[in-house]
Amino acid sequence: SRPTTIRYIREARQWLSRRRIEVLGKPGSGYYIKGNEEDIRDAIVDSIRNFLEFEFPMVALKFAQGSLKHTLLGVFENTNLDAINKFMERVQTDVKKRFVDEDLLNLAISVAVSIRRIEKHHRMDLGTRKVPEILRNPMSLSIRDSIHNLEEESQVMFTEEEICYLALKFIGA
């Protein structure tokens, strides 16, 4: 019903506004979101985690074991989870750090969301952040060295700012 739809849009607008994303309506066209790319990607990752809620630890364990079904999440449709898993493994080996299962899945979702957003021609713009400084971080260097196979598998190009975005996610995990 119309009141229910309006209530859901209001709730979505409130949830997204807490993430610095606006929901705008255009008569005759519908709704769209406006915000910086980093906030949009983070909101997508948060929404997937919220959707999984109590199942997240089980899904994380399955992903870590390599047994997650490819069609489980919409964001993973047409995404090569094996390639993402191999990428994650290479980075962990290179930096000599093992991520706990839930962090590993969160990072994999961030990578999958990045691939989908790049495919749709949305580019990361870190603005005033110091990209060269972030790129010198060992995590960035590892991601840069490990990303080539993932780029080939997904047919997308990770720019330096995309690598910085992922590095910040990996460093924070």
Side-chain angles (χ1 to χ4, degrees), residues 28-133:
S29 295
Y31 291 92
Y32 64 97
I33 61 171
K34 181 180 177 185
N36 81 39
E37 185 63 18
E38 184 174 7
D39 290 339
I40 291 170
R41 290 184 193 189
D42 291 347
I44 294 169
V45 172
D46 286 349
S47 69
I48 293 167
R49 187 176 174 102
N50 290 344
F51 174 76
L52 290 172
E53 200 171 357
F54 298 115
E55 294 177 22
F56 195 84
M58 182 265 309
V59 173
L61 177 63
K62 284 186 176 185
F63 178 77
Q65 294 172 341
S67 62
L68 184 64
K69 295 200 183 336
H70 292 259
T71 58
L72 179 66
L73 304 173
V75 73
F76 287 146
E77 285 180 350
N78 304 317
T79 301
N80 188 335
L81 283 181
D82 293 332
I84 292 173
N85 214 346
K86 287 176 189 172
F87 164 72
M88 304 288 292
E89 187 60 39
R90 273 190 228 101
V91 171
Q92 290 180 99
T93 300
D94 194 38
V95 297
K96 297 173 180 59
K97 177 180 178 179
R98 302 304 298 174
F99 296 105
V100 297
D101 295 347
E102 290 188 28
D103 286 344
L104 192 65
L105 181 58
N106 254 344
L107 292 169
I109 292 169
S110 293
V111 171
V113 167
S114 291
I115 291 168
R116 295 297 291 266
R117 297 291 292 171
I118 293 168
E119 287 173 342
K120 302 287 184 190
H121 308 289
H122 298 282
R123 298 285 184 234
M124 187 56 63
D125 179 8
L126 297 177
T128 60
R129 293 199 190 169
K130 298 175 181 160
V131 171
E133 184 179 322

